Amino acid sequence: MPLAKYRTKRDFKVTSEPKGTSRKNAPQESLIFVVQKHQASHLHYDFRLEWNGVLLSWAVPKGPSLDPSTKRLAMAVEDHPIEYANFEGIIPQGQYGGGTVMVWDQGTWVPEMDVESGLRDGDLKFSLHGKKLRGSWVLVRTKTGPGKTGRASWLLIKHRDRYASKSDIVSEKPRSVVSKRLMAGIATAAGGDVAKAAESDPRK
Ligand code: MN
């Protein structure tokens, strides 16, 4: 049950996040990725790669950087269902991850190596074909976390290529790629905490 941990943390009678199907997806031509901006107790960007019918997930507190010299901490979190890639809205307060979620980037990804050995060895190279994130990247594991959770620290790093840049992508491209909304707009539409969501929008 790859999604057992995901489901245990959530009450699907209260949150509108997808429960996820347990079946494995039929083989597809391409693998999806998504980056979700998530204003929970702390702002972070959830970086998710489709693999084996689930979304492998990392929480990136500062979000991705296009600058190869800027390594961004990425904490491994529980696998999410594939359907989660389209989730934009609010998670009710008091629920796990309560707050506002934006689909900040979406597209497909292509492994640049054998994925299973990359995950095992803590060095996964891949390219992204999103609207904001493109080109070659790597996730490097720095340490395994405590106990049974297996929660580990990784670094998300842009490789040097023509998509590398000094521009601050999270500040310069703050809008949803599916709705063009800012965080406050998403919270407003879903009846969430607009003031809290607006804290992570650009200053007017
Ligand atoms: Mn999150």
Side-chain angles (χ1 to χ4, degrees):
M1 284 296 288
L3 295 174
K5 198 184 288 182
Y6 171 86
R7 291 188 183 125
T8 301
K9 288 171 181 283
R10 290 167 176 81
D11 182 351
F12 296 101
K13 289 199 271 308
V14 181
T15 184
S16 58
E17 295 166 284
K19 190 166 185 223
T21 52
S22 54
R23 72 182 155 72
K24 257 177 113 165
N25 279 18
Q28 289 178 327
E29 298 269 323
S30 53
L31 298 163
I32 62 164
F33 90 94
V34 64
V35 182
Q36 281 156 318
K37 184 174 180 177
H38 185 185
Q39 175 76 63
S41 48
H42 298 281
L43 174 67
H44 59 275
Y45 292 73
D46 288 299
F47 183 81
R48 311 189 197 279
L49 299 174
E50 178 187 358
W51 189 246
N52 283 341
V54 296
L55 295 172
L56 306 178
S57 298
W58 291 263
V60 183
K62 292 184 176 176
S65 171
L66 302 183
D67 181 352
S69 65
T70 302
K71 302 173 168 72
R72 288 286 158 84
L73 174 66
M75 299 296 297
V77 297
E78 75 276 14
D79 297 344
H80 278 52
I82 297 287
E83 299 95 302
Y84 209 92
N86 295 314
F87 179 74
E88 181 172 275
I90 63 158
I91 300 168
Q93 293 307 322
Q95 297 298 300
Y96 179 71
T100 303
V101 178
M102 167 196 286
V103 178
W104 183 81
D105 197 16
Q106 217 177 37
T108 60
W109 73 285
V110 179
E112 295 178 359
M113 60 183 300
D114 180 71
V115 176
E116 293 300 338
S117 42
L119 293 169
R120 186 192 60 225
D121 300 340
D123 189 345
L124 180 65
K125 297 178 177 68
F126 53 91
S127 53
L128 297 177
H129 303 270
K131 294 194 170 78
K132 296 174 182 172
L133 304 182
R134 291 176 176 272
S136 183
W137 297 72
V138 63
L139 273 164
V140 182
R141 190 168 56 226
T142 56
K143 56 175 184 265
T144 49
K148 292 169 289 197
T149 61
R151 193 180 169 98
S153 297
W154 298 63
L155 295 171
L156 177 64
I157 310 166
K158 181 77 194 74
H159 279 143
R160 289 185 194 284
D161 61 18
R162 66 197 175 98
Y163 298 107
S165 161
K166 293 282 184 193
S167 79
D168 181 1
I169 186 85
V170 297
S171 303
E172 290 174 16
K173 305 269 187 191
R175 290 181 182 271
S176 164
V177 294
V178 295
S179 69
K180 306 297 176 207
R181 294 180 297 186
L182 293 170
M183 295 294 273
I186 294 166
T188 301
D193 185 338
V194 179
K196 176 84 175 165
E199 286 173 16
S200 63
D201 284 330
R203 300 268 174 269
K204 295 221 172 63

